[in-house]
Amino acid sequence: TISHALLTGYPLVATQALVEKNFLLDKSFWIAIVLAIFIILFGTRHLDASERHEGMVAAIAFESIVKLLAFLAAGIFVVFWLYQGPMDLLTQAASRTDLVGTLGLDAVPGGAVGWVGTLILSTLAFITLPRQFQVLVIENVDERHVKRAGWMFPLYLFAINIMVIPIALAGLLLGDGSPDDYVLTLPLAAGLEFLPLFVFIGGLSAATGMVIVETIALSTMVSNHLV
């Protein structure tokens, strides 16, 4: 909802204006309804002893590609449109004394211990979150896919994270809004229209994909273990 408000109202976006007294006018309500319908159609409509949802997996795979392309497009725009390449961006960031320390461990809450703790928590989340188990174990139809995922998934993680630091540095240099919104506000500030829309679709794909898989995983866990 906030991203949509940014997309349609930038730069005049007030967070308090996003809260609607009438829930029928609240965009978040209708997004939730659409998600629920999608989950019913692709997730819980069929009774299957194996609890597999191949339609859902295909949709999640597609949204993962959309998400990756959108984020890479935003990163390429920042590095090669707003700046003259990665060296130009890093040089300008290094010239700002207030930004030099942002890439060090001192900028992390808790320092080096906090950084290691974050890595451990991330690893535990990767292993134990219901949606990870749903995709890694329940939805796996062929053991050979595990071997392919062994190199493809790290490659995907590298590709989707490679532009995080350039986008963050550019946002801090230009001081354009909240860090959560840099992928939208940077192209919007440059006067572009198609790229912010593509980035919005990529973000929506990422969020809906996570919610859909999590909901199906939790519904299975609730019916099997609680009910």
Side-chain angles (χ1 to χ4, degrees), residues 79 83-93:
V79 174
Y83 297 90
Q84 303 300 315
M87 291 308 300
D88 179 38
L89 173 58
L90 291 173
T91 301
Q92 292 197 38

Side-chain angles (χ1 to χ4, degrees), residues 1-2 5 12-22 26-27:
T1 306
I2 294 172
L12 303 174
V13 178
T15 305
Q16 59 267 28
L18 300 175
V19 181
E20 296 283 355
K21 293 182 179 179
N22 185 349
D26 192 338
K27 297 181 184 69

Side-chain angles (χ1 to χ4, degrees), residues 45-90:
R45 185 163 57 105
H46 301 290
L47 289 175
D48 188 350
S50 67
E51 298 173 349
R52 289 177 179 146
H53 313 88
E54 293 184 9
M56 182 267 294
V57 173
I60 299 305
F62 179 74
E63 70 84 10
S64 297
I65 296 173
V66 173
K67 173 174 63 179
L68 175 63
L69 293 176
F71 202 74
L72 286 176
I76 291 170
F77 158 77
V78 166
V79 174
F80 296 102
W81 181 299
L82 294 182
Y83 297 90
Q84 303 300 315
M87 291 308 300
D88 179 38
L89 173 58
L90 291 173

Side-chain angles (χ1 to χ4, degrees), residues 8-156:
T8 56
Y10 182 85
L12 303 174
V13 178
T15 305
Q16 59 267 28
L18 300 175
V19 181
E20 296 283 355
K21 293 182 179 179
N22 185 349
F23 71 92
L24 292 175
L25 300 177
D26 192 338
K27 297 181 184 69
S28 300
F29 171 75
W30 293 106
I31 291 171
I33 294 296
V34 171
L35 282 177
I37 294 171
F38 185 92
I39 293 167
I40 291 169
L41 291 177
F42 286 88
T44 54
R45 185 163 57 105
H46 301 290
L47 289 175
D48 188 350
S50 67
E51 298 173 349
R52 289 177 179 146
H53 313 88
E54 293 184 9
M56 182 267 294
V57 173
I60 299 305
F62 179 74
E63 70 84 10
S64 297
I65 296 173
V66 173
K67 173 174 63 179
L68 175 63
L69 293 176
F71 202 74
L72 286 176
I76 291 170
F77 158 77
V78 166
V79 174
F80 296 102
W81 181 299
L82 294 182
Y83 297 90
Q84 303 300 315
M87 291 308 300
D88 179 38
L89 173 58
L90 291 173
T91 301
Q92 292 197 38
S95 65
R96 285 268 301 270
T97 54
D98 57 322
L99 296 184
V100 172
T102 56
L103 297 180
L105 287 176
D106 292 337
V108 180
V113 176
W115 183 67
V116 173
T118 302
L119 288 179
I120 293 173
L121 285 174
S122 301
T123 305
L124 290 174
F126 171 73
I127 295 172
T128 59
L129 279 177
R131 66 174 179 270
Q132 312 289 22
F133 182 80
Q134 180 77 25
V135 174
L136 284 170
V137 181
I138 296 176
E139 304 292 351
N140 184 19
V141 296
D142 191 335
E143 289 184 8
R144 291 174 296 179
H145 293 169
V146 177
K147 185 180 292 186
R148 185 183 304 162
W151 63 267
M152 189 175 287
F153 185 59
L155 183 63
Y156 182 92

